[in-house]
Amino acid sequence: MKLTMIGTGYVGLVTGACLADTGNDVLCLDLDGDKIARLQAGEIPIHEPGLQEVVRRNVAARRLAFTTDPALAAGFGEVQFIAVGTPPGDDGAADVQHVLAAARSIGQHMDGRKLIVNKSTVPVGTADRVRQAVAQALAARGAQHGFGVVSNPEFLKEGAAVEDFMRPERIVVGADDERAAGLMREIYAPFNRSRDRLLMMDVRSAELTKYAANAMLATRISFMNEMANLAEALGADIESVRHGIGSDSRIGHQFLYPGCGYGGSCFPKDVKALIRTARQEAGMELRVLGAVESVNAAQRQVLVRKVRQRFGPDLRGRHFGLWGLAFKPDTDDMREAPSRYVLQELLNAGATVRAYDPCAMREAQRALADAPGLSYASDPMDALGGADALLIATEWKQFRSPDFDAMAVALKQPVIFDGRNLYPPRLLRERGFEYHCIGRVATPLQAPPDQDGAYQGSRLPS
């Protein structure tokens, strides 16, 4: 089938490349000429494991191509996917201007019947606005081509997007007519061979499903962060608590890791947008999500609060190493990353910081420009030289088993503020580190009494 993908960002490029990989002919449209030139040259503008191989394979097979020509794109695909950004506006609402611009462009150039598929994350009711925009563009040119509009939200995790698309847990499609539903079933048939993952529903329910899913995941994170702060205050260990509640099949273990807050392009934006939609469209206050947002805002400050408790409020003359800039591992995305809030607070307090990230260094230099007091390291150890302490903001695998002896030598003093709970507290303290983490207090395990009736402390790390 011939498909057009409007937008070559994180969602559009992954979707287009993966649909081409199942035999479709896909033309990706983007108005950013530099990005299209890079893609045509075999360069991938985002870091996503496995994506480069899929793109290059399908470009070589002539199933995947790129263009900046809206007319060519509108005429190419029987199905037109819209996968453009919906950034938050000043009031927290999702800005759908790019979605509606894409819809108008389709209406201005389409030369026959089209199915328009909205993959962008949009407020409930956007499909109606897309339908209206296309109809108005057709009317303006006196054309009467038929078209349908469906909602097909994405559920891709950054860092695992290709795997998520190829092996989806579910494929949500909101369609109001059987012809549109039939085309979507045909497109996604290759992903339904072992079992039917397609969930057909009405358009508005599909639009709400995307927001509800992200809001639920954000809620779990904020809940665990509150529990971690409480555990720390009460002398409990949040890791033990996490295992204790996660073993309940009704709860499960996913998204129960406390830390220094959630970030990225989805959770902060979508929670805000859903709160705003409820308030403006339904006259409702989503009190749970309001609390989720407030907890996350506070949790972004937790590492710097610990730093100030240790070194005092005035950090002038202090120097820190920072491991992790991306909002999560396996991506270079720094949108709403906790590291940005950590850096801002440290630099504003007069400290200097030397940061390292395996993938996000170029993005950090672009996003943070020439922030006074911030420098970039060539490797993890380079970030530690002469630092008063190390802060960890992203749980990259290469940070999990470092050379602690070398770290102790490089640091001015062996102090770690871990916003991702990478290490067992007892192990760090046995190695001579002062270790500050989230919701964990190292307490000695009690062993059976020895022959003299005294308890022997266990050497097992907690």
mmCIF file of all heavy atoms in Angstrom, residues 119-146:
data_model
loop_
_atom_site.group_PDB
_atom_site.id
_atom_site.type_symbol
_atom_site.label_atom_id
_atom_site.label_comp_id
_atom_site.label_asym_id
_atom_site.label_seq_id
_atom_site.Cartn_x
_atom_site.Cartn_y
_atom_site.Cartn_z
ATOM 1 N N LYS A 119 -1.831 10.421 14.039
ATOM 2 C CA LYS A 119 -0.990 9.748 15.028
ATOM 3 C C LYS A 119 -0.473 10.712 16.091
ATOM 4 O O LYS A 119 0.082 10.280 17.107
ATOM 5 C CB LYS A 119 0.195 9.047 14.355
ATOM 6 C CG LYS A 119 -0.195 7.757 13.659
ATOM 7 C CD LYS A 119 0.965 6.807 13.517
ATOM 8 C CE LYS A 119 1.273 6.072 14.796
ATOM 9 N NZ LYS A 119 0.245 5.091 15.184
ATOM 10 N N SER A 120 -0.603 12.005 15.859
ATOM 11 C CA SER A 120 -0.170 12.986 16.854
ATOM 12 C C SER A 120 -1.040 12.875 18.109
ATOM 13 O O SER A 120 -2.211 12.499 18.038
ATOM 14 C CB SER A 120 -0.279 14.398 16.283
ATOM 15 O OG SER A 120 0.537 14.548 15.141
ATOM 16 N N THR A 121 -0.443 13.208 19.249
ATOM 17 C CA THR A 121 -1.199 13.221 20.499
ATOM 18 C C THR A 121 -1.997 14.514 20.562
ATOM 19 O O THR A 121 -1.426 15.604 20.632
ATOM 20 C CB THR A 121 -0.253 13.114 21.701
ATOM 21 O OG1 THR A 121 0.499 11.905 21.589
ATOM 22 C CG2 THR A 121 -1.035 13.102 23.003
ATOM 23 N N VAL A 122 -3.320 14.391 20.513
ATOM 24 C CA VAL A 122 -4.177 15.566 20.370
ATOM 25 C C VAL A 122 -5.353 15.497 21.337
ATOM 26 O O VAL A 122 -5.771 14.423 21.765
ATOM 27 C CB VAL A 122 -4.721 15.670 18.928
ATOM 28 C CG1 VAL A 122 -3.583 15.933 17.946
ATOM 29 C CG2 VAL A 122 -5.494 14.420 18.541
ATOM 30 N N PRO A 123 -5.922 16.651 21.695
ATOM 31 C CA PRO A 123 -7.089 16.668 22.576
ATOM 32 C C PRO A 123 -8.295 15.995 21.930
ATOM 33 O O PRO A 123 -8.403 15.910 20.694
ATOM 34 C CB PRO A 123 -7.351 18.170 22.793
ATOM 35 C CG PRO A 123 -6.072 18.844 22.452
ATOM 36 C CD PRO A 123 -5.441 18.008 21.389
ATOM 37 N N VAL A 124 -9.197 15.518 22.781
ATOM 38 C CA VAL A 124 -10.431 14.911 22.297
ATOM 39 C C VAL A 124 -11.204 15.936 21.461
ATOM 40 O O VAL A 124 -11.377 17.090 21.865
ATOM 41 C CB VAL A 124 -11.294 14.423 23.478
ATOM 42 C CG1 VAL A 124 -12.637 13.900 22.974
ATOM 43 C CG2 VAL A 124 -10.553 13.348 24.261
ATOM 44 N N GLY A 125 -11.631 15.512 20.290
ATOM 45 C CA GLY A 125 -12.358 16.382 19.388
ATOM 46 C C GLY A 125 -11.526 16.909 18.241
ATOM 47 O O GLY A 125 -12.051 17.551 17.324
ATOM 48 N N THR A 126 -10.214 16.632 18.244
ATOM 49 C CA THR A 126 -9.347 17.137 17.179
ATOM 50 C C THR A 126 -9.686 16.524 15.832
ATOM 51 O O THR A 126 -9.568 17.188 14.792
ATOM 52 C CB THR A 126 -7.871 16.884 17.526
ATOM 53 O OG1 THR A 126 -7.551 17.548 18.755
ATOM 54 C CG2 THR A 126 -6.945 17.409 16.428
ATOM 55 N N ALA A 127 -10.127 15.273 15.805
ATOM 56 C CA ALA A 127 -10.498 14.645 14.532
ATOM 57 C C ALA A 127 -11.599 15.435 13.839
ATOM 58 O O ALA A 127 -11.609 15.567 12.605
ATOM 59 C CB ALA A 127 -10.937 13.203 14.757
ATOM 60 N N ASP A 128 -12.518 15.978 14.630
ATOM 61 C CA ASP A 128 -13.584 16.803 14.041
ATOM 62 C C ASP A 128 -13.000 18.054 13.401
ATOM 63 O O ASP A 128 -13.434 18.488 12.329
ATOM 64 C CB ASP A 128 -14.604 17.191 15.105
ATOM 65 C CG ASP A 128 -15.344 15.992 15.668
ATOM 66 O OD1 ASP A 128 -15.467 14.980 14.950
ATOM 67 O OD2 ASP A 128 -15.789 16.070 16.832
ATOM 68 N N ARG A 129 -12.004 18.647 14.044
ATOM 69 C CA ARG A 129 -11.370 19.844 13.505
ATOM 70 C C ARG A 129 -10.553 19.524 12.254
ATOM 71 O O ARG A 129 -10.488 20.327 11.309
ATOM 72 C CB ARG A 129 -10.491 20.498 14.573
ATOM 73 C CG ARG A 129 -11.259 20.946 15.814
ATOM 74 C CD ARG A 129 -10.345 21.556 16.850
ATOM 75 N NE ARG A 129 -9.765 22.810 16.360
ATOM 76 C CZ ARG A 129 -8.846 23.499 17.049
ATOM 77 N NH1 ARG A 129 -8.427 23.042 18.234
ATOM 78 N NH2 ARG A 129 -8.348 24.624 16.560
ATOM 79 N N VAL A 130 -9.916 18.357 12.240
ATOM 80 C CA VAL A 130 -9.191 17.913 11.044
ATOM 81 C C VAL A 130 -10.159 17.721 9.880
ATOM 82 O O VAL A 130 -9.903 18.172 8.752
ATOM 83 C CB VAL A 130 -8.417 16.609 11.336
ATOM 84 C CG1 VAL A 130 -7.917 15.970 10.036
ATOM 85 C CG2 VAL A 130 -7.261 16.874 12.284
ATOM 86 N N ARG A 131 -11.272 17.080 10.168
ATOM 87 C CA ARG A 131 -12.289 16.854 9.118
ATOM 88 C C ARG A 131 -12.780 18.188 8.560
ATOM 89 O O ARG A 131 -12.921 18.349 7.342
ATOM 90 C CB ARG A 131 -13.440 16.042 9.712
ATOM 91 C CG ARG A 131 -14.455 15.565 8.694
ATOM 92 C CD ARG A 131 -15.513 14.682 9.327
ATOM 93 N NE ARG A 131 -14.964 13.388 9.729
ATOM 94 C CZ ARG A 131 -14.754 13.020 10.972
ATOM 95 N NH1 ARG A 131 -15.034 13.853 11.974
ATOM 96 N NH2 ARG A 131 -14.255 11.834 11.255
ATOM 97 N N GLN A 132 -13.006 19.145 9.443
ATOM 98 C CA GLN A 132 -13.477 20.460 9.010
ATOM 99 C C GLN A 132 -12.411 21.186 8.183
ATOM 100 O O GLN A 132 -12.728 21.810 7.157
ATOM 101 C CB GLN A 132 -13.843 21.302 10.232
ATOM 102 C CG GLN A 132 -14.409 22.673 9.897
ATOM 103 C CD GLN A 132 -14.717 23.482 11.150
ATOM 104 O OE1 GLN A 132 -14.006 23.387 12.148
ATOM 105 N NE2 GLN A 132 -15.793 24.264 11.106
ATOM 106 N N ALA A 133 -11.145 21.096 8.598
ATOM 107 C CA ALA A 133 -10.072 21.766 7.866
ATOM 108 C C ALA A 133 -9.914 21.210 6.461
ATOM 109 O O ALA A 133 -9.719 21.958 5.492
ATOM 110 C CB ALA A 133 -8.756 21.624 8.641
ATOM 111 N N VAL A 134 -10.001 19.881 6.323
ATOM 112 C CA VAL A 134 -9.893 19.268 5.002
ATOM 113 C C VAL A 134 -11.074 19.672 4.133
ATOM 114 O O VAL A 134 -10.918 20.037 2.949
ATOM 115 C CB VAL A 134 -9.804 17.736 5.116
ATOM 116 C CG1 VAL A 134 -9.813 17.091 3.728
ATOM 117 C CG2 VAL A 134 -8.553 17.326 5.884
ATOM 118 N N ALA A 135 -12.269 19.637 4.710
ATOM 119 C CA ALA A 135 -13.479 19.988 3.946
ATOM 120 C C ALA A 135 -13.429 21.433 3.464
ATOM 121 O O ALA A 135 -13.798 21.735 2.319
ATOM 122 C CB ALA A 135 -14.721 19.758 4.807
ATOM 123 N N GLN A 136 -12.940 22.331 4.311
ATOM 124 C CA GLN A 136 -12.851 23.735 3.920
ATOM 125 C C GLN A 136 -11.835 23.932 2.799
ATOM 126 O O GLN A 136 -12.069 24.721 1.863
ATOM 127 C CB GLN A 136 -12.480 24.591 5.127
ATOM 128 C CG GLN A 136 -13.609 24.734 6.146
ATOM 129 C CD GLN A 136 -13.176 25.469 7.404
ATOM 130 O OE1 GLN A 136 -11.975 25.620 7.676
ATOM 131 N NE2 GLN A 136 -14.141 25.921 8.198
ATOM 132 N N ALA A 137 -10.704 23.215 2.874
ATOM 133 C CA ALA A 137 -9.691 23.328 1.822
ATOM 134 C C ALA A 137 -10.209 22.776 0.496
ATOM 135 O O ALA A 137 -9.938 23.344 -0.572
ATOM 136 C CB ALA A 137 -8.420 22.592 2.245
ATOM 137 N N LEU A 138 -10.942 21.687 0.559
ATOM 138 C CA LEU A 138 -11.542 21.134 -0.664
ATOM 139 C C LEU A 138 -12.559 22.099 -1.254
ATOM 140 O O LEU A 138 -12.595 22.339 -2.474
ATOM 141 C CB LEU A 138 -12.198 19.789 -0.367
ATOM 142 C CG LEU A 138 -11.267 18.594 -0.139
ATOM 143 C CD1 LEU A 138 -12.052 17.397 0.364
ATOM 144 C CD2 LEU A 138 -10.513 18.231 -1.420
ATOM 145 N N ALA A 139 -13.399 22.669 -0.391
ATOM 146 C CA ALA A 139 -14.427 23.594 -0.869
ATOM 147 C C ALA A 139 -13.813 24.831 -1.512
ATOM 148 O O ALA A 139 -14.333 25.353 -2.509
ATOM 149 C CB ALA A 139 -15.337 23.995 0.286
ATOM 150 N N ALA A 140 -12.688 25.290 -0.956
ATOM 151 C CA ALA A 140 -12.042 26.483 -1.483
ATOM 152 C C ALA A 140 -11.541 26.289 -2.906
ATOM 153 O O ALA A 140 -11.459 27.253 -3.676
ATOM 154 C CB ALA A 140 -10.884 26.893 -0.571
ATOM 155 N N ARG A 141 -11.234 25.066 -3.269
ATOM 156 C CA ARG A 141 -10.770 24.797 -4.638
ATOM 157 C C ARG A 141 -11.839 24.131 -5.498
ATOM 158 O O ARG A 141 -11.579 23.707 -6.617
ATOM 159 C CB ARG A 141 -9.509 23.944 -4.599
ATOM 160 C CG ARG A 141 -9.609 22.672 -3.779
ATOM 161 C CD ARG A 141 -8.243 21.995 -3.640
ATOM 162 N NE ARG A 141 -7.934 21.172 -4.785
ATOM 163 C CZ ARG A 141 -7.645 19.865 -4.736
ATOM 164 N NH1 ARG A 141 -7.589 19.249 -3.548
ATOM 165 N NH2 ARG A 141 -7.385 19.196 -5.809
ATOM 166 N N GLY A 142 -13.057 24.014 -4.938
ATOM 167 C CA GLY A 142 -14.171 23.452 -5.691
ATOM 168 C C GLY A 142 -14.043 21.964 -5.952
ATOM 169 O O GLY A 142 -14.646 21.439 -6.901
ATOM 170 N N ALA A 143 -13.288 21.248 -5.118
ATOM 171 C CA ALA A 143 -13.101 19.804 -5.288
ATOM 172 C C ALA A 143 -14.052 19.041 -4.371
ATOM 173 O O ALA A 143 -14.475 19.545 -3.325
ATOM 174 C CB ALA A 143 -11.657 19.420 -4.979
ATOM 175 N N GLN A 144 -14.385 17.809 -4.780
ATOM 176 C CA GLN A 144 -15.348 17.013 -4.011
ATOM 177 C C GLN A 144 -14.828 15.602 -3.738
ATOM 178 O O GLN A 144 -15.576 14.635 -3.785
ATOM 179 C CB GLN A 144 -16.684 16.947 -4.752
ATOM 180 C CG GLN A 144 -17.377 18.303 -4.893
ATOM 181 C CD GLN A 144 -18.732 18.211 -5.549
ATOM 182 O OE1 GLN A 144 -19.034 17.242 -6.246
ATOM 183 N NE2 GLN A 144 -19.576 19.215 -5.332
ATOM 184 N N HIS A 145 -13.567 15.480 -3.455
ATOM 185 C CA HIS A 145 -12.992 14.170 -3.170
ATOM 186 C C HIS A 145 -13.466 13.671 -1.800
ATOM 187 O O HIS A 145 -13.552 14.428 -0.844
ATOM 188 C CB HIS A 145 -11.467 14.248 -3.177
ATOM 189 C CG HIS A 145 -10.892 14.741 -4.472
ATOM 190 N ND1 HIS A 145 -11.145 14.121 -5.679
ATOM 191 C CD2 HIS A 145 -10.079 15.796 -4.749
ATOM 192 C CE1 HIS A 145 -10.511 14.769 -6.650
ATOM 193 N NE2 HIS A 145 -9.860 15.789 -6.112
ATOM 194 N N GLY A 146 -13.735 12.386 -1.722
ATOM 195 C CA GLY A 146 -14.124 11.792 -0.450
ATOM 196 C C GLY A 146 -12.924 11.556 0.448
ATOM 197 O O GLY A 146 -11.800 11.378 -0.024
#
